[in-house]
Amino acid sequence: VGRAQVQQEETAETTEGTGISINCSHPNIQTGDFILWYRQFSGRGPEFLVRALQGSQEVRSPPGRLSVAADRRSSALWLARPRRGDAALYSCAL
């Protein structure tokens, strides 16, 4: 409470099958805060994708990887082979 949680770019676009990195900044992250990523399709609730404290973590669906910067102030969700059906709102949280 009282601290900015996360910041993301408003849009990210790619073509089907071309990998894309979705970036998130969390400059005020605290020790022990997990970095969480979700996606939300229009008209549906959020779907949990992955969480991490540090390093990198595989994402199974959609295929990709979450990478956390060494200082933990940012993270990036890499979607390896996105399809049209993966078009959604992707959000990070602490």
Side-chain angles (χ1 to χ4, degrees), residues 16-36:
E16 189 170 22
T18 301
I20 185 172
S21 182
I22 305 171
N23 301 305
C24 179
S25 174
H26 22 85
N28 298 318
I29 193 167
Q30 302 293 308
T31 302
D33 283 348
F34 276 94
I35 300 159
L36 313 170

Side-chain angles (χ1 to χ4, degrees), residues 2-94:
R3 59 188 170 102
Q5 293 291 307
V6 299
Q7 300 166 353
Q8 289 182 259
E9 65 255 36
E10 290 189 17
T11 61
E13 297 182 9
T14 188
T15 56
E16 189 170 22
T18 301
I20 185 172
S21 182
I22 305 171
N23 301 305
C24 179
S25 174
H26 22 85
N28 298 318
I29 193 167
Q30 302 293 308
T31 302
D33 283 348
F34 276 94
I35 300 159
L36 313 170
W37 279 82
Y38 299 85
R39 73 174 171 181
Q40 186 170 5
F41 295 104
S42 180
R44 298 175 61 182
E47 170 192 358
F48 173 75
L49 295 178
V50 64
R51 76 174 188 170
L53 275 172
Q54 58 189 14
S56 64
Q57 184 74 32
E58 180 184 1
V59 182
R60 292 188 179 178
S61 180
R65 180 164 293 276
L66 170 61
S67 298
V68 179
D71 63 5
R72 298 192 351 108
R73 293 176 182 264
S74 64
S75 61
L77 179 66
W78 167 252
L79 305 182
R81 297 176 302 279
R83 299 177 177 272
R84 285 187 185 271
D86 293 319
L89 174 65
Y90 289 79
S91 301
C92 62
L94 299 178

